[in-house]
Amino acid sequence: METSEFPQRATLENLAQLLSRRLRCILLDQLGAFRGADASVAEKSLSSLFAFAAECVRESLIENADILTLFEDLYECCPEEHLTKLFPLFERAIHGSKADGSDKIQLKEHQTHSCTKICRLIMTKLTVTHDLQLRGALLRFVARTLPLTHPSGKQHNNQPQSQAGGRAR
């Protein structure tokens, strides 16, 4: 079937889906390289892939959810010994590496849940005693990502907790 049979608008609407699928295929191919001998080459390739995906998000070619799905796939399939080297990819994408934050991804309010899900996924792969530095980095990331005013910690009826159902002391 030729693309000329479809209106131009339809192909532009499908561009985001096609780009997202292709990025996911490339990610899965790159993850296969971790099983090979040279993991440093695979790490550089993944870094380039996620830099490109972040640029696609900033240019509105793909959605924020697409890059979060890529990160989720990465950390689900990544061997434990590479998590420490690959976590900064996620951190840079979410918080940016420039001082002004111009290169970070602007998360929507409901997408912070995806970030904590990814962090929880990484934490389950880590050993309790050997991966303390990465655990600390994950906790700092979560603290930086979820603001203190996150709706999960607020009373929704605008009453103090002692009046909203807890006992006043």
Side-chain angles (χ1 to χ4, degrees):
M1 199 179 286
E2 294 181 23
T3 58
S4 61
E5 293 178 24
F6 296 104
Q8 184 68 21
R9 183 171 214 187
T11 57
L12 291 177
E13 289 174 358
N14 294 333
L15 178 64
Q17 291 176 347
L18 294 172
L19 185 57
S20 179
R21 275 192 229 132
R22 186 64 187 142
L23 286 171
R24 196 167 190 194
C25 289
I26 293 170
L27 173 66
L28 294 175
D29 288 343
Q30 291 300 317
L31 285 172
F34 274 120
R35 293 176 186 90
D38 197 3
S40 64
V41 173
E43 289 169 13
K44 288 178 185 176
S45 296
L46 286 171
S47 181
S48 297
L49 174 70
F50 280 101
F52 176 71
E55 188 62 33
C56 288
V57 169
R58 284 189 290 279
E59 295 295 327
S60 301
L61 296 174
I62 60 174
E63 297 291 322
N64 290 355
D66 295 328
I67 195 168
L68 292 173
T69 301
L70 285 174
F71 276 116
E72 197 172 330
D73 291 344
L74 170 69
Y75 294 118
E76 279 181 0
C77 300
C78 179
E80 182 183 340
E81 60 269 11
H82 297 291
L83 289 173
T84 303
K85 294 178 182 175
L86 294 177
F87 178 68
L89 293 175
F90 183 53
E91 202 169 18
R92 275 193 306 264
I94 301 302
H95 295 299
S97 58
K98 296 181 181 175
D100 62 355
S102 61
D103 61 339
K104 71 179 185 176
I105 296 171
Q106 299 294 326
L107 292 176
K108 297 177 176 114
E109 187 174 322
H110 65 280
Q111 291 174 329
T112 55
H113 171 71
S114 296
C115 290
T116 56
K117 182 179 177 185
I118 291 168
C119 290
R120 198 171 47 250
L121 178 75
I122 295 170
M123 287 287 257
T124 59
K125 286 188 165 195
L126 300 176
T127 59
V128 176
T129 56
H130 297 300
D131 301 311
L132 294 176
Q133 295 227 334
L134 182 54
R135 283 180 175 276
L138 281 164
L139 293 174
R140 284 190 303 275
F141 174 83
V142 169
R144 190 173 172 195
T145 304
L146 294 177
L148 292 174
T149 59
H150 191 268
S152 65
K154 290 183 184 178
Q155 292 293 326
H156 293 288
N157 56 6
N158 293 329
Q159 294 179 0
Q161 186 173 0
S162 62
Q163 295 173 359
R167 282 200 230 168
R169 294 178 193 213

